[in-house]
Amino acid sequence: MEIRAAEAGDLDGALALHDQLAPYLVVTEIGLRLRLTTPLGPGQATFAAVGGDQVVGWATTGLIAGSDPLDGQLRVLVRPEYRGQGIGAQLLDAAHDVLRSAGATSARVFAEPSTAEWAGRWGYRQTRQVHYAGIDPQKAPELPEVPSGVELLPLNQADPLKVYAADVIAQRTKPGDAKIVARPYADWLRAIWESPVMALDLSVAAIYGGEVVGFTLGNGDHTKLWSQMTATMPEYRGRGLAKLVKTAALHRAAAVGVQNCYTANYDGNVPMLAVNEWLGYYRVATHSVLLCPL
């Protein structure tokens, strides 16, 4: 068994691993290829556990953008038949080393509840749960009535500066354990607007009075999508804008042949859980949110 930095040649094996264990995480070829072939920033790393010619374990790390104090996040996957051999422990130790070197003060992971006791050996504790849900976009409900004065735009047709301004507010007010402050516009532009992983054409903004008052942002490819953020500006909440932009985005996904859309919400995010239930999302998994000081 070899545990090492992941390489471009591991791509097919890593995709198969994710599709087997957690297809709802929406790891796509374009996203994984980009991660394996471009220089990684501080706190970013990817490790593979390889037995023979098979990828049997995988770990990724990153910093939570805009967090203060600086928080890290990671993911560890090991094929069930290879568990209990120390592979997960070695991957986790390697991930922690990377995050510590980058200055992260804590590590966060979403994990199967059955692994919480195991993760406790490193000091992880559960803070809450996160629920994963999926939908076939072809089964999305009809678009609700668009309020007078509101315009729906694909995100790639909106003004990126105005989308950024809305995202800054959304990040500061979203549920979660990390304290998020604004990241510089140039960093956001590279990570979101210019990233080939983002599906801006299948994401939707609600414009009112020339400003972005609500939006939904997705990433993935034109086969499967991950809805990573849906937000309504505080003064416009309670008017159905989240339902509106999410329904419109699902319709756009259906029109280009996307087969599955996935998302996740913390258990305390009652309004968004209700929106997703109204849309027809079905729950596919529940993970424990585990936090560990570094």
Side-chain angles (χ1 to χ4, degrees):
M1 185 66 59
E2 180 184 14
I3 295 179
R4 53 165 171 75
E7 303 169 351
D10 299 322
L11 187 147
D12 288 343
L15 287 174
L17 177 69
H18 283 84
D19 286 345
Q20 175 191 351
L21 299 184
Y24 48 86
L25 295 179
V26 188
V27 174
T28 63
E29 180 177 350
I30 184 173
L32 194 53
R33 188 178 301 280
L34 184 68
R35 187 175 184 96
L36 294 177
T37 58
T38 58
L40 297 176
Q44 292 183 318
T46 308
F47 298 99
V50 182
D53 60 353
Q54 185 182 32
V55 174
V56 302
W58 196 257
T60 57
T61 69
L63 300 177
I64 298 178
S67 58
D68 183 21
L70 192 61
D71 289 320
Q73 57 190 349
L74 58 92
R75 178 183 299 159
V76 175
L77 294 176
V78 178
R79 291 188 184 277
E81 63 270 29
Y82 287 89
R83 294 173 186 171
Q85 302 178 30
I87 296 171
Q90 293 181 68
L91 290 171
L92 189 59
D93 285 338
H96 283 174
D97 287 344
V98 170
L99 293 176
R100 286 194 191 97
S101 297
T105 61
S106 67
R108 179 178 287 98
V109 62
F110 296 169
E112 295 177 2
S114 60
T115 66
E117 182 178 353
W118 175 83
R121 303 174 193 172
W122 284 264
Y124 279 92
R125 61 179 178 83
Q126 181 172 332
T127 62
R128 60 181 73 201
Q129 290 185 317
V130 63
H131 303 297
Y132 294 88
I135 188 175
D136 176 351
Q138 299 284 348
K139 298 179 180 179
E142 293 184 5
L143 187 71
E145 182 179 354
V146 181
S148 176
V150 172
E151 179 184 11
L152 298 180
L153 280 181
L155 218 57
N156 60 346
Q157 295 180 23
D159 182 343
L161 272 169
K162 293 183 177 181
V163 178
Y164 168 72
D167 187 55
V168 168
I169 295 171
Q171 294 293 342
R172 287 175 176 170
T173 58
K174 73 178 183 180
D177 300 311
K179 180 183 178 183
I180 306 295
V181 297
R183 55 174 160 171
Y185 176 64
D187 291 350
W188 178 90
L189 204 65
R190 285 191 296 270
I192 301 296
W193 207 256
E194 298 171 352
S195 171
V197 176
M198 305 307 299
L200 298 182
D201 59 325
L202 305 182
S203 305
V204 174
I207 312 295
Y208 181 75
E211 302 299 324
V212 175
V213 297
F215 68 91
T216 187
L217 173 65
N219 66 59
D221 54 27
H222 282 197
T223 299
K224 54 186 177 180
L225 286 175
W226 174 262
S227 177
Q228 71 177 54
M229 169 63 96
T230 299
T232 303
M233 299 303 95
E235 63 270 32
Y236 292 94
R237 290 175 183 167
R239 306 184 189 187
L241 292 179
K243 284 183 179 180
L244 191 64
V245 294
K246 292 202 75 168
T247 305
L250 288 172
H251 288 183
R252 294 188 67 82
V256 300
V258 173
Q259 299 171 15
N260 293 291
C261 295
Y262 295 98
T263 191
N265 296 108
Y266 288 117
D267 51 5
N269 192 357
V270 176
M272 193 53 65
L273 288 168
V275 168
N276 289 334
E277 183 178 358
W278 178 87
L279 286 164
Y281 276 87
Y282 58 94
R283 190 167 297 181
V284 296
T286 294
H287 281 183
S288 297
V289 182
L290 305 178
L291 187 65
C292 172
L294 292 176

